Amino acid sequence: MKQIIKSEIANLPTKFGKFKVKAYKEECQEHLAIMSENFTDLVNPLVRIHSECLTGDTIGSLKCDCSNQLDLALALISQNGGLVIYHRQEGRNIGLVNKINAYKLQDEGYNTIEANLKLGFKEDERDYSSVAFILNDLNIKKLKLITNNPSKINFIEDLGITITQRIPAITSINKYNKNYIETKKEEMGHLF
Ligand SMILES: [Zn+2]
C-alpha cells in the first residue's frame, strides 16, 4: 500500500463558486480534491475524476477537450454539489516531455494512441490507486459520475461504489481536437 499524506480541508473561492479543497501527496505527486461547500451533506454527489492536462487546463490548448471538461465539471459541482478529483497524471501518465513528443508525432500525422505506442507506452498508462484512496478517505459509497470514459466507470464499480447516474462531459469540437475526440470515441470506446 502506497503511503499517502493528507492536508487539512480549506476554503477556496473560484470563478465557478466557493469550494473546499483537500490535497493528497503520494511519493512525488500531489492530487487535489475540490468539494462543493455542502459536500459533507451529500449522500450521492456528482463526481468528476479529472486527469491533469497542463496544456489544456492551464494554457487553453485546443488540441484536446480537457479544459472544457474541467470548466464544465467545476460549474456543475458548484451548482449541484459534488467533487472534482484533480488527478495529477499528465498525458495519461506519460508526463509532459513525452506528451509533447507525442504531439510532435501527431503533427506528423499519427493519432493520439499511435503516438503513445510509437513512444513505447500503452495507449493509457494511468494508475487510479490514489483516486481509490481519495474516494475512500471522503467516504463515498455512491455517486453520479461525470465522464465519457468507460474505463473510469469500470474502475468505480470495481471499488464497490454504486454509480447512480452517468453524466456525459460533452464539450465543443474544433478543428484541432476533432481527430483526438474521434480517436477517443472510436478506438478507446469513449461515450458521447
Ligand atoms: Zn488535454
Side-chain angles (χ1 to χ4, degrees), residues 53 56 64 66 99 180:
C53 174
C64 55
C66 304
K99 180 169 116 170
Y180 167 82

Side-chain angles (χ1 to χ4, degrees), residues 179-192:
N179 188 265
Y180 167 82
I181 288 174
E182 282 173 358
T183 301
K184 285 211 298 192
K185 186 171 161 185
E186 286 160 22
E187 298 187 34
M188 300 176 84
H190 282 217
L191 313 158
F192 286 92

Side-chain angles (χ1 to χ4, degrees), residues 8 34 48 63 65 70 90 97 105 116 133 135 143 175-178 185:
E8 301 296 331
I34 305 149
R48 164 85 184 158
K63 278 181 69 71
D65 52 352
L70 181 60
E90 180 68 46
V97 167
L105 289 169
N116 282 29
F133 179 93
L135 291 168
L143 55 78
K175 65 178 177 179
Y176 304 104
N177 70 15
K178 188 169 179 289
K185 186 171 161 185

Side-chain angles (χ1 to χ4, degrees), residues 50-57 61 63-67 90 99 103 180:
H50 185 82
S51 300
E52 175 180 29
C53 174
L54 182 100
T55 45
D57 300 339
S61 163
K63 278 181 69 71
C64 55
D65 52 352
C66 304
S67 167
E90 180 68 46
K99 180 169 116 170
Y103 278 4
Y180 167 82

Side-chain angles (χ1 to χ4, degrees), residues 42-134:
L42 302 171
V43 291
N44 185 20
L46 276 173
V47 173
R48 164 85 184 158
I49 302 161
H50 185 82
S51 300
E52 175 180 29
C53 174
L54 182 100
T55 45
D57 300 339
T58 307
I59 59 178
S61 163
L62 299 176
K63 278 181 69 71
C64 55
D65 52 352
C66 304
S67 167
N68 288 339
Q69 291 191 340
L70 181 60
D71 284 3
L72 174 73
L74 289 170
L76 283 173
I77 71 157
S78 174
Q79 288 155 19
N80 305 292
L83 163 73
V84 174
I85 297 173
Y86 194 85
H87 189 214
R88 305 277 307 283
Q89 293 197 342
E90 180 68 46
R92 299 199 293 271
N93 208 18
I94 64 173
L96 192 57
V97 167
N98 290 317
K99 180 169 116 170
I100 300 304
N101 284 336
Y103 278 4
K104 168 68 175 165
L105 289 169
Q106 290 173 35
D107 290 342
E108 294 165 6
Y110 294 93
N111 73 27
T112 181
I113 295 175
E114 292 162 350
N116 282 29
L117 296 178
K118 194 163 169 63
L119 291 172
F121 298 106
K122 292 183 282 195
E123 65 178 45
D124 193 338
E125 292 273 354
R126 281 175 289 192
D127 162 19
Y128 291 104
S129 58
S130 50
V131 175
F133 179 93
I134 294 167

